[in-house]
Amino acid sequence: MEKLLIQNISQLVTSKGKSARHGNAMQQIEIQENAAIYIEAGIIEKVGNNAEVETYAKKNGDDFKIVNAQGKCAIPGFIDPHTHFLFGGSRADEFMDRLAGVPYLELLKQGGGICSTMQSTRDSSEESLYQSGRAVLNNMLKLGVTSVEGKSGYGLDKDTELKQLRVMHRLNQDLPISLQTTFLGAHAVPPEYKGNGDQYIDFLVSDVLTQVKKENLADFCDVFCEPDVFSLEQSERFLSRAAQMGFKLKMHADEINSIGGAALAHKLKAISADHLLAVTEADIQALSSGNTIAVLLPATAFCMRKPFAPARKMIDAGCAVALASDFNPGSCYTYSIPLILALAVISMCMTLEEALTAITLNAAAAIDQADSVGSIEPGKRADILLLAYPDYRFLVYHTGINIVQHVIKDGEFLW
Ligand code: NIG
Ligand code: FE
């Protein structure tokens, strides 16, 4: 059984708890100097000052490895709770069109957007999807992401949706990153069902979802609730059926237009409502009164030249806010955690402490994993980052730069 003592950590910074922090409580992080962490079999056993942790570690002998973390800051591994990281092809041409003024939903209406990636994903072999997904996840690990959520949604037919989910399961087994999977068959209406969104929803529920359940391929179900994509009624019908089948729920809500998506997520007790660029005052009130996490995606707003989600307002109203990349080939071709932190703190006026909670503990809650990851505390998995500086403020002060020097996943140094 692997045992590890990390000593002389100049600064250990973490939120605490096994569930999301709401509102003001997002600011409360613990900062310890000259700290140590003792890990056994991938689980954090003890956190405290150097002397007390060493005494604890020695209670059963001294057959543990010691690492000196002098000059470094330890924080929990980052968690990215919203990505579409597995797809075929790319859409650089559309990115340039959007910069030239073509609206995102217009491209989708013309058969491009999500449907263009749908075609290239249908055309991709399982092996090529596996290889490109593997490359992305390895890059994410280098940025300090130790848990990630990945969505299907680029097949929009039974075979390709299942192919995406199966590839994600292989990647979860083969790589040290922890992966939660989401079925997003309701990402767009495919050409085969053009004008027949209702029938497509029926097909998803009766045919695809049953197979996803049978093979236990997804933890969550999600829907792109947006005018001209899936209406509020269609979203509710789909998500209610998914909940009856035992899936946990997520929602792409109020990204471009406000149609009450966040309120629906709240009503259905979804684990998260994501995007929320166009969220209303009433939606904020609804979210703040429940446990649905507001997952904000600042890099998407930035890449779409849209105003950011009102993070400050949401936190001040008592919402539990998490941050994620939304990495996808259309609206946001980046999974840069340094960029996301910079946008959250500099442009959205979250404090650095709130942003850190949002990308660790609250992000863990957004994938329903806050009981096992998201903070550096006894009982949690030892997913820990050592930064190249002894001060967590460099996470944003060193703007846009990756300062993660060492990544520890389940108690093992990846580098
Ligand atoms: O979260 N909005 C819907 N889905 C993605 C974009 C997908 C795409 O354009 O390929 C998003 O932004
Ligand atoms: Fe998304």
mmCIF file with all atom_site columns, all heavy atoms in Angstrom, residues 16-17 23 49 88 92 112 162 166 175 219 288 328 376 388 413:
data_model
loop_
_atom_site.group_PDB
_atom_site.id
_atom_site.type_symbol
_atom_site.label_atom_id
_atom_site.label_alt_id
_atom_site.label_comp_id
_atom_site.label_asym_id
_atom_site.label_entity_id
_atom_site.label_seq_id
_atom_site.pdbx_PDB_ins_code
_atom_site.Cartn_x
_atom_site.Cartn_y
_atom_site.Cartn_z
_atom_site.occupancy
_atom_site.B_iso_or_equiv
_atom_site.pdbx_formal_charge
_atom_site.auth_seq_id
_atom_site.auth_comp_id
_atom_site.auth_asym_id
_atom_site.auth_atom_id
_atom_site.pdbx_PDB_model_num
ATOM 1   N N   . LYS A 1 16  ? -13.525 23.728 2.166   1.00 0.00 ? 16  LYS A N   1
ATOM 2   C CA  . LYS A 1 16  ? -13.763 22.503 2.934   1.00 0.00 ? 16  LYS A CA  1
ATOM 3   C C   . LYS A 1 16  ? -15.227 22.089 2.886   1.00 0.00 ? 16  LYS A C   1
ATOM 4   O O   . LYS A 1 16  ? -16.112 22.922 2.758   1.00 0.00 ? 16  LYS A O   1
ATOM 5   C CB  . LYS A 1 16  ? -13.306 22.711 4.387   1.00 0.00 ? 16  LYS A CB  1
ATOM 6   C CG  . LYS A 1 16  ? -11.777 22.790 4.475   1.00 0.00 ? 16  LYS A CG  1
ATOM 7   C CD  . LYS A 1 16  ? -11.302 23.055 5.864   1.00 0.00 ? 16  LYS A CD  1
ATOM 8   C CE  . LYS A 1 16  ? -10.953 21.770 6.574   1.00 0.00 ? 16  LYS A CE  1
ATOM 9   N NZ  . LYS A 1 16  ? -10.343 22.068 7.899   1.00 0.00 ? 16  LYS A NZ  1
ATOM 10  N N   . GLY A 1 17  ? -15.424 20.787 2.970   1.00 0.00 ? 17  GLY A N   1
ATOM 11  C CA  . GLY A 1 17  ? -16.789 20.280 3.037   1.00 0.00 ? 17  GLY A CA  1
ATOM 12  C C   . GLY A 1 17  ? -17.046 19.205 2.007   1.00 0.00 ? 17  GLY A C   1
ATOM 13  O O   . GLY A 1 17  ? -16.202 18.913 1.160   1.00 0.00 ? 17  GLY A O   1
ATOM 14  N N   . GLY A 1 23  ? -23.270 31.136 -2.072  1.00 0.00 ? 23  GLY A N   1
ATOM 15  C CA  . GLY A 1 23  ? -23.160 32.563 -1.760  1.00 0.00 ? 23  GLY A CA  1
ATOM 16  C C   . GLY A 1 23  ? -21.875 32.929 -1.041  1.00 0.00 ? 23  GLY A C   1
ATOM 17  O O   . GLY A 1 23  ? -20.771 32.545 -1.441  1.00 0.00 ? 23  GLY A O   1
ATOM 18  N N   . ASN A 1 49  ? -0.183  20.733 10.591  1.00 0.00 ? 49  ASN A N   1
ATOM 19  C CA  . ASN A 1 49  ? 1.168   21.271 10.557  1.00 0.00 ? 49  ASN A CA  1
ATOM 20  C C   . ASN A 1 49  ? 2.172   20.128 10.459  1.00 0.00 ? 49  ASN A C   1
ATOM 21  O O   . ASN A 1 49  ? 1.847   18.960 10.702  1.00 0.00 ? 49  ASN A O   1
ATOM 22  C CB  . ASN A 1 49  ? 1.428   22.220 11.734  1.00 0.00 ? 49  ASN A CB  1
ATOM 23  C CG  . ASN A 1 49  ? 1.455   21.487 13.060  1.00 0.00 ? 49  ASN A CG  1
ATOM 24  O OD1 . ASN A 1 49  ? 2.045   20.410 13.191  1.00 0.00 ? 49  ASN A OD1 1
ATOM 25  N ND2 . ASN A 1 49  ? 0.799   22.068 14.061  1.00 0.00 ? 49  ASN A ND2 1
ATOM 26  N N   . GLY A 1 88  ? -15.197 14.599 -33.701 1.00 0.00 ? 88  GLY A N   1
ATOM 27  C CA  . GLY A 1 88  ? -14.358 14.532 -34.893 1.00 0.00 ? 88  GLY A CA  1
ATOM 28  C C   . GLY A 1 88  ? -14.259 15.918 -35.518 1.00 0.00 ? 88  GLY A C   1
ATOM 29  O O   . GLY A 1 88  ? -15.154 16.752 -35.367 1.00 0.00 ? 88  GLY A O   1
ATOM 30  N N   . ALA A 1 92  ? -12.709 25.747 -37.503 1.00 0.00 ? 92  ALA A N   1
ATOM 31  C CA  . ALA A 1 92  ? -11.996 27.031 -37.516 1.00 0.00 ? 92  ALA A CA  1
ATOM 32  C C   . ALA A 1 92  ? -12.669 28.018 -38.479 1.00 0.00 ? 92  ALA A C   1
ATOM 33  O O   . ALA A 1 92  ? -12.721 29.220 -38.217 1.00 0.00 ? 92  ALA A O   1
ATOM 34  C CB  . ALA A 1 92  ? -10.542 26.814 -37.907 1.00 0.00 ? 92  ALA A CB  1
ATOM 35  N N   . GLY A 1 112 ? -24.866 23.920 -40.297 1.00 0.00 ? 112 GLY A N   1
ATOM 36  C CA  . GLY A 1 112 ? -23.490 23.898 -39.779 1.00 0.00 ? 112 GLY A CA  1
ATOM 37  C C   . GLY A 1 112 ? -23.517 23.712 -38.274 1.00 0.00 ? 112 GLY A C   1
ATOM 38  O O   . GLY A 1 112 ? -24.368 22.992 -37.744 1.00 0.00 ? 112 GLY A O   1
ATOM 39  N N   . LEU A 1 162 ? -23.683 6.191  -28.778 1.00 0.00 ? 162 LEU A N   1
ATOM 40  C CA  . LEU A 1 162 ? -23.139 5.097  -27.960 1.00 0.00 ? 162 LEU A CA  1
ATOM 41  C C   . LEU A 1 162 ? -21.626 4.989  -28.159 1.00 0.00 ? 162 LEU A C   1
ATOM 42  O O   . LEU A 1 162 ? -20.881 4.758  -27.207 1.00 0.00 ? 162 LEU A O   1
ATOM 43  C CB  . LEU A 1 162 ? -23.825 3.774  -28.309 1.00 0.00 ? 162 LEU A CB  1
ATOM 44  C CG  . LEU A 1 162 ? -25.318 3.694  -27.966 1.00 0.00 ? 162 LEU A CG  1
ATOM 45  C CD1 . LEU A 1 162 ? -25.916 2.394  -28.496 1.00 0.00 ? 162 LEU A CD1 1
ATOM 46  C CD2 . LEU A 1 162 ? -25.556 3.782  -26.457 1.00 0.00 ? 162 LEU A CD2 1
ATOM 47  N N   . ARG A 1 166 ? -18.956 5.070  -25.178 1.00 0.00 ? 166 ARG A N   1
ATOM 48  C CA  . ARG A 1 166 ? -18.073 3.906  -24.957 1.00 0.00 ? 166 ARG A CA  1
ATOM 49  C C   . ARG A 1 166 ? -16.613 4.329  -24.992 1.00 0.00 ? 166 ARG A C   1
ATOM 50  O O   . ARG A 1 166 ? -15.805 3.871  -24.181 1.00 0.00 ? 166 ARG A O   1
ATOM 51  C CB  . ARG A 1 166 ? -18.320 2.829  -26.017 1.00 0.00 ? 166 ARG A CB  1
ATOM 52  C CG  . ARG A 1 166 ? -19.643 2.108  -25.814 1.00 0.00 ? 166 ARG A CG  1
ATOM 53  C CD  . ARG A 1 166 ? -19.785 0.971  -26.824 1.00 0.00 ? 166 ARG A CD  1
ATOM 54  N NE  . ARG A 1 166 ? -21.139 0.439  -26.795 1.00 0.00 ? 166 ARG A NE  1
ATOM 55  C CZ  . ARG A 1 166 ? -21.960 0.376  -27.844 1.00 0.00 ? 166 ARG A CZ  1
ATOM 56  N NH1 . ARG A 1 166 ? -21.562 0.801  -29.040 1.00 0.00 ? 166 ARG A NH1 1
ATOM 57  N NH2 . ARG A 1 166 ? -23.178 -0.123 -27.722 1.00 0.00 ? 166 ARG A NH2 1
ATOM 58  N N   . LEU A 1 175 ? -6.716  6.284  -18.481 1.00 0.00 ? 175 LEU A N   1
ATOM 59  C CA  . LEU A 1 175 ? -5.969  7.475  -18.067 1.00 0.00 ? 175 LEU A CA  1
ATOM 60  C C   . LEU A 1 175 ? -6.198  7.756  -16.588 1.00 0.00 ? 175 LEU A C   1
ATOM 61  O O   . LEU A 1 175 ? -7.245  7.388  -16.035 1.00 0.00 ? 175 LEU A O   1
ATOM 62  C CB  . LEU A 1 175 ? -6.420  8.684  -18.890 1.00 0.00 ? 175 LEU A CB  1
ATOM 63  C CG  . LEU A 1 175 ? -6.103  8.644  -20.383 1.00 0.00 ? 175 LEU A CG  1
ATOM 64  C CD1 . LEU A 1 175 ? -6.660  9.874  -21.074 1.00 0.00 ? 175 LEU A CD1 1
ATOM 65  C CD2 . LEU A 1 175 ? -4.595  8.570  -20.613 1.00 0.00 ? 175 LEU A CD2 1
ATOM 66  N N   . ASP A 1 219 ? -23.684 8.956  -16.498 1.00 0.00 ? 219 ASP A N   1
ATOM 67  C CA  . ASP A 1 219 ? -24.104 9.335  -15.147 1.00 0.00 ? 219 ASP A CA  1
ATOM 68  C C   . ASP A 1 219 ? -25.231 10.367 -15.213 1.00 0.00 ? 219 ASP A C   1
ATOM 69  O O   . ASP A 1 219 ? -26.097 10.414 -14.362 1.00 0.00 ? 219 ASP A O   1
ATOM 70  C CB  . ASP A 1 219 ? -22.914 9.944  -14.391 1.00 0.00 ? 219 ASP A CB  1
ATOM 71  C CG  . ASP A 1 219 ? -21.706 9.025  -14.413 1.00 0.00 ? 219 ASP A CG  1
ATOM 72  O OD1 . ASP A 1 219 ? -21.787 7.962  -13.792 1.00 0.00 ? 219 ASP A OD1 1
ATOM 73  O OD2 . ASP A 1 219 ? -20.698 9.353  -15.071 1.00 0.00 ? 219 ASP A OD2 1
ATOM 74  N N   . SER A 1 288 ? -31.050 30.215 -6.236  1.00 0.00 ? 288 SER A N   1
ATOM 75  C CA  . SER A 1 288 ? -30.480 30.454 -4.900  1.00 0.00 ? 288 SER A CA  1
ATOM 76  C C   . SER A 1 288 ? -31.281 29.739 -3.813  1.00 0.00 ? 288 SER A C   1
ATOM 77  O O   . SER A 1 288 ? -30.799 29.552 -2.702  1.00 0.00 ? 288 SER A O   1
ATOM 78  C CB  . SER A 1 288 ? -30.405 31.951 -4.614  1.00 0.00 ? 288 SER A CB  1
ATOM 79  O OG  . SER A 1 288 ? -31.709 32.454 -4.484  1.00 0.00 ? 288 SER A OG  1
ATOM 80  N N   . ASN A 1 328 ? -15.370 22.759 -26.572 1.00 0.00 ? 328 ASN A N   1
ATOM 81  C CA  . ASN A 1 328 ? -16.085 22.149 -27.696 1.00 0.00 ? 328 ASN A CA  1
ATOM 82  C C   . ASN A 1 328 ? -15.574 22.772 -28.987 1.00 0.00 ? 328 ASN A C   1
ATOM 83  O O   . ASN A 1 328 ? -14.945 23.827 -28.952 1.00 0.00 ? 328 ASN A O   1
ATOM 84  C CB  . ASN A 1 328 ? -17.604 22.341 -27.526 1.00 0.00 ? 328 ASN A CB  1
ATOM 85  C CG  . ASN A 1 328 ? -18.042 23.773 -27.763 1.00 0.00 ? 328 ASN A CG  1
ATOM 86  O OD1 . ASN A 1 328 ? -18.110 24.228 -28.905 1.00 0.00 ? 328 ASN A OD1 1
ATOM 87  N ND2 . ASN A 1 328 ? -18.317 24.523 -26.695 1.00 0.00 ? 328 ASN A ND2 1
ATOM 88  N N   . ILE A 1 376 ? -8.881  19.440 0.012   1.00 0.00 ? 376 ILE A N   1
ATOM 89  C CA  . ILE A 1 376 ? -7.790  18.665 0.631   1.00 0.00 ? 376 ILE A CA  1
ATOM 90  C C   . ILE A 1 376 ? -8.190  18.406 2.079   1.00 0.00 ? 376 ILE A C   1
ATOM 91  O O   . ILE A 1 376 ? -7.990  19.245 2.966   1.00 0.00 ? 376 ILE A O   1
ATOM 92  C CB  . ILE A 1 376 ? -6.442  19.428 0.539   1.00 0.00 ? 376 ILE A CB  1
ATOM 93  C CG1 . ILE A 1 376 ? -6.120  19.757 -0.928  1.00 0.00 ? 376 ILE A CG1 1
ATOM 94  C CG2 . ILE A 1 376 ? -5.315  18.607 1.176   1.00 0.00 ? 376 ILE A CG2 1
ATOM 95  C CD1 . ILE A 1 376 ? -4.812  20.510 -1.149  1.00 0.00 ? 376 ILE A CD1 1
ATOM 96  N N   . ALA A 1 388 ? 4.008   26.265 -8.669  1.00 0.00 ? 388 ALA A N   1
ATOM 97  C CA  . ALA A 1 388 ? 5.419   26.683 -8.743  1.00 0.00 ? 388 ALA A CA  1
ATOM 98  C C   . ALA A 1 388 ? 5.705   27.892 -7.857  1.00 0.00 ? 388 ALA A C   1
ATOM 99  O O   . ALA A 1 388 ? 6.849   28.346 -7.788  1.00 0.00 ? 388 ALA A O   1
ATOM 100 C CB  . ALA A 1 388 ? 5.778   26.990 -10.188 1.00 0.00 ? 388 ALA A CB  1
ATOM 101 N N   . PHE A 1 413 ? 2.229   10.816 -7.870  1.00 0.00 ? 413 PHE A N   1
ATOM 102 C CA  . PHE A 1 413 ? 2.770   11.944 -8.629  1.00 0.00 ? 413 PHE A CA  1
ATOM 103 C C   . PHE A 1 413 ? 2.732   11.593 -10.122 1.00 0.00 ? 413 PHE A C   1
ATOM 104 O O   . PHE A 1 413 ? 3.375   10.638 -10.535 1.00 0.00 ? 413 PHE A O   1
ATOM 105 C CB  . PHE A 1 413 ? 4.227   12.212 -8.237  1.00 0.00 ? 413 PHE A CB  1
ATOM 106 C CG  . PHE A 1 413 ? 4.362   13.223 -7.140  1.00 0.00 ? 413 PHE A CG  1
ATOM 107 C CD1 . PHE A 1 413 ? 4.131   12.870 -5.823  1.00 0.00 ? 413 PHE A CD1 1
ATOM 108 C CD2 . PHE A 1 413 ? 4.720   14.542 -7.437  1.00 0.00 ? 413 PHE A CD2 1
ATOM 109 C CE1 . PHE A 1 413 ? 4.240   13.806 -4.810  1.00 0.00 ? 413 PHE A CE1 1
ATOM 110 C CE2 . PHE A 1 413 ? 4.838   15.483 -6.420  1.00 0.00 ? 413 PHE A CE2 1
ATOM 111 C CZ  . PHE A 1 413 ? 4.595   15.113 -5.103  1.00 0.00 ? 413 PHE A CZ  1
#
